[in-house]
Amino acid sequence: MRFAMAIDLDRCIGCRTCAVICKDFNAQPQGIWWNRVFTSGTPEYDVAVKVDDQLRMEFVPISCQHCTNAPCQTVCPTQATYTDPDTGTVLVDYDRCIGCRMCASACPYGVRQFNWGAPAKMAGLGGTELEYGYPEPYHDGEHLVYAPHRPEGVMEKCTFCAQYTSQGKEPVCCRSCPGNARIFGDMDDPSSPIRAYLKDKEPFFLGEEYHTEPNIYYLAAHKVTQVNQVPASADGKEA
Amino acid sequence: MEKSTRFIGYAGCALLVLGLIGWALQLTGGLLAGSGMTNIFLWGLMIAMFAFMVGFGAGAQIVASAIFLTGREELMGLARTASAIGLACVGAAGIAILADLGAIRNILFMLTGLNFNSPLAWDMMAMTAFVILSVVQLVMIARNSSQVKIWATLAGACAVVLQIIEGLLFSLQSVHAWWATPIMPIDFLAVAVVSGSALVLFIACMKGTDSTGLAWLARLCAIAVAVHLVLALADLGLVALEGSPVSDGVLAAIGGQLPLYVAELILPAAGMIILFATMRSPKGTPKMIASALIVVGILAHRLMLLYPAYNAPSLYLTLSGTDSVTGPYPISTGRYLDWDTTFALGTNYMPAPVEWLAALLPIGVAIVGTFVILWAMKKISSTATR
């Protein structure tokens, strides 16, 4: 079995529901984001860029790419980062991580998140603290790969929602996406939804120059949903 | 014990205590919360200090081994001190790594679950091998054994391997264009010789070593600086000529720290010129000034190892259906609570006060360690002669 995800950029509307629900269901402490969505071409969110006198806005969600040749796993000195042999998912065992941050330093995608201090809970109204996320720790065999209350000073990242996929459910970002832009499944199973979706399509991968063999398949945006001709006098930003 | 030596010993103890306080503050105040690091700028002052100290350690041992192998009688006393400094500095570098860990409580997995593919594992093994060989060598020196040359050769060879592995620790991270060059491990070796020879030269000047010995050390140091500067400029040239968005990002990050980058080049270059100009002079003061300039330049070099690597984005996207590389992709800083900044392309790293304090720990360990090792050698020596 090899878990993978397809992300169809034609379907992504940039609502960031995936990022927020990922944070919520995975009890990510304040300041930690496993999943992020930005507009290609600008460091700001929701800003268009000018291409061939047209304004274009293309959202690209990025989280852990669950690489087959994961540099984070290679450099981890204690084998805290490992690939689950049953699913091909790259996971972090919080109980083995020494917090050296070498994995984050070696990751081309900037998706690893470190707990620099005691993980802070989300602040609610009136000085309250919010409890949220899957309520129980989840162990993959002997490895602690999810805990609602994070240990201090360890690395964390997307697990493909290991606590849910182990129950046969899809990751929450897939379940919550209003545009159905994320398709999850087993790439080794010819009848899986992801295999069916990718059939006859040409996906691309992020950071191919790093030879990480990601398991997140991106499908380029082709549809023109709105034509926005830029007036010749406008000082648009070139892509 | 001379007054100046005693002062250095006391200063070492004070630095050790202050450094321990800094580390304790980092541990009790929420691990690394009191730092200026982010999920973008992942390694800070302590890792720069690690690279700085391990360079001194390996370099001092390489100089000591060279003295033993070439049989330079006038420098034999210094070789003994240099060997002790070598062990103390590598030990201090190990302490720096430990002090930089977020979850030191899990450190036993470095023994029970070591990943042999990790450069950090190679590093630990090389440091352990160095410590073992160095201790044996120091015992042989203290006992005035006829096998000193053999053990000094082995310890020197291990120091060379250690530095190459330190270089690989950085250069194998292909995600950072500033590090991912084959020059990096060779330059680590050159910097070690620069650091070790500058430190030993400084001590030789303090001790009033004769002019032949000083000239030999000054020549070694000046040549090593020349080699290092050629390699450093070659590194810069490679990045400048690449012309990719990633390399442009590296150049921009260097530009953002221009005073530091200029210091890393100018200070050792000035020291090198002074050394070449005063090589045959019996006067020690110019050589001490040159050594000090070189050491400060190397510290700037170690800090500049980090800025262009971490503040140059690695992931650039292309708009669908175009060849246009549109720009880097923001990263979550992980420091929202401190700075109200959730996502950024780079963060302006400035070590926090507690980081400066904790960074004194490895320096204190190196100084106090050297004194303890020399004292132990004296004890072994006096026992052996009884």
Side-chain angles (χ1 to χ4, degrees), chain B residues 8 60 90 162-163 235 269 283:
Chain B
I8 295 170
V90 170
L162 176 62
Q163 273 312 100
D235 237 352
K283 284 184 184 171

Side-chain angles (χ1 to χ4, degrees), chain B residues 73-327:
Chain B
E73 286 301 327
E74 75 277 15
L75 293 173
M76 281 301 169
L78 268 177
R80 182 188 175 99
T81 310
S83 303
I85 290 171
L87 177 58
C89 284
V90 170
I95 296 288
I97 286 267
L98 292 177
D100 194 57
L101 296 180
I104 198 169
R105 62 184 177 275
N106 293 334
I107 194 67
L108 269 181
F109 285 106
M110 283 296 285
L111 298 176
T112 59
L114 195 63
N115 171 15
F116 289 97
N117 291 322
S118 168
L120 261 184
W122 309 342
D123 191 33
M124 189 186 77
M125 290 188 287
M127 283 176 90
T128 308
F130 177 83
V131 167
I132 292 167
L133 289 172
S134 177
V135 167
V136 176
Q137 174 209 224
L138 287 165
V139 171
M140 293 296 167
I141 294 169
R143 287 183 172 173
N144 215 6
S145 163
S146 58
Q147 293 182 349
V148 166
K149 265 191 183 181
I150 298 169
W151 289 101
T153 308
L154 290 173
C158 193
V160 170
V161 172
L162 176 62
Q163 273 312 100
I164 290 173
I165 287 174
E166 299 302 347
L168 289 173
L169 191 75
F170 293 93
S171 73
L172 289 177
Q173 295 186 38
S174 61
V175 62
H176 301 294
W178 184 233
W179 295 344
T181 86
I183 291 174
M184 182 66 79
I186 312 295
D187 193 34
F188 256 75
L189 192 52
V191 169
V193 180
V194 170
S195 310
S197 57
L199 185 60
V200 176
L201 177 61
F202 192 90
I203 295 167
C205 293
M206 275 177 66
K207 282 189 166 180
T209 305
D210 81 26
S211 58
T212 325
L214 286 184
W216 185 83
L217 282 170
R219 189 181 301 116
L220 177 66
C221 185
I223 292 171
V225 171
V227 172
H228 159 59
L229 289 176
V230 167
L231 293 171
L233 290 171
D235 237 352
L236 179 67
L238 282 176
V239 172
L241 292 172
E242 195 180 307
S244 67
V246 172
S247 62
D248 289 348
V250 172
L251 292 176
I254 291 173
Q257 302 294 334
L258 205 55
L260 200 57
Y261 189 63
V262 170
E264 103 157 61
L265 295 176
I266 294 292
L267 294 180
M272 177 189 71
I273 291 165
I274 294 171
L275 289 182
F276 274 128
T278 63
M279 200 170 284
R280 294 186 190 287
S281 160
K283 284 184 184 171
T285 311
K287 294 185 182 68
M288 284 176 83
I289 293 169
S291 304
L293 287 174
I294 290 168
V295 168
V296 176
I298 293 301
L299 181 58
H301 172 69
R302 290 315 196 197
L303 285 167
M304 276 305 284
L305 195 63
L306 306 174
Y307 283 97
Y310 286 130
N311 276 344
S314 58
L315 187 62
Y316 286 78
L317 301 182
T318 308
L319 266 177
S320 295
T322 76
D323 295 326
S324 311
V325 175
T326 56

Side-chain angles (χ1 to χ4, degrees), chain A residues 30 36 38 40-41 56 58 60 74-77 79 95 97-101 105 108 113-114 116-117 120 152-153 210 221, chain B residues 30-33 38-39 42-43 100 102-103 105-106 113-115 118 173 175-176 310 314 320 326 329-330 332 334 337 342:
Chain A
Q30 276 203 43
R36 61 205 202 277
F38 276 89
S40 187
R56 280 188 54 174
E58 184 174 305
V60 184
T74 305
V75 301
C76 177
Q79 302 182 62
D95 282 343
C97 175
I98 57 171
C100 67
R101 312 182 296 287
S105 188
Q113 295 281 288
F114 190 64
W116 289 97
E152 291 184 14
Y210 299 115
Chain B
L31 298 168
L32 300 172
T38 65
N39 283 335
L42 289 151
W43 288 342
D100 194 57
R105 62 184 177 275
N106 293 334
L114 195 63
N115 171 15
S118 168
Q173 295 186 38
V175 62
H176 301 294
Y310 286 130
S314 58
S320 295
T326 56
Y329 199 89
S332 168
L337 284 177
T342 306

Side-chain angles (χ1 to χ4, degrees), chain A residues 13-120:
Chain A
I13 57 171
C15 64
R16 286 180 159 177
T17 301
C18 53
V20 174
I21 204 154
C22 167
K23 188 171 176 65
D24 186 359
F25 276 58
N26 287 293
Q28 290 159 35
Q30 276 203 43
I32 300 279
W33 291 88
W34 290 0
N35 208 330
R36 61 205 202 277
V37 184
F38 276 89
T39 328
S40 187
T42 160
E44 301 298 329
Y45 172 67
D46 219 7
V47 175
V49 291
K50 189 178 141 192
V51 183
D52 300 331
D53 294 331
Q54 292 283 327
L55 283 179
R56 280 188 54 174
M57 197 153 64
E58 184 174 305
F59 297 97
V60 184
I62 297 184
S63 53
C64 176
Q65 304 289 298
H66 293 283
C67 309
T68 301
N69 181 24
C72 55
Q73 182 179 344
T74 305
V75 301
C76 177
T78 59
Q79 302 182 62
T81 295
Y82 69 101
T83 300
D84 177 6
D86 297 331
T87 63
T89 310
V90 179
L91 299 168
V92 182
D93 183 343
Y94 299 151
D95 282 343
R96 286 181 86 102
C97 175
I98 57 171
C100 67
R101 312 182 296 287
M102 184 115 183
C103 54
S105 188
C107 171
Y109 307 104
V111 292
R112 287 187 159 247
Q113 295 281 288
F114 190 64
N115 289 287
W116 289 97

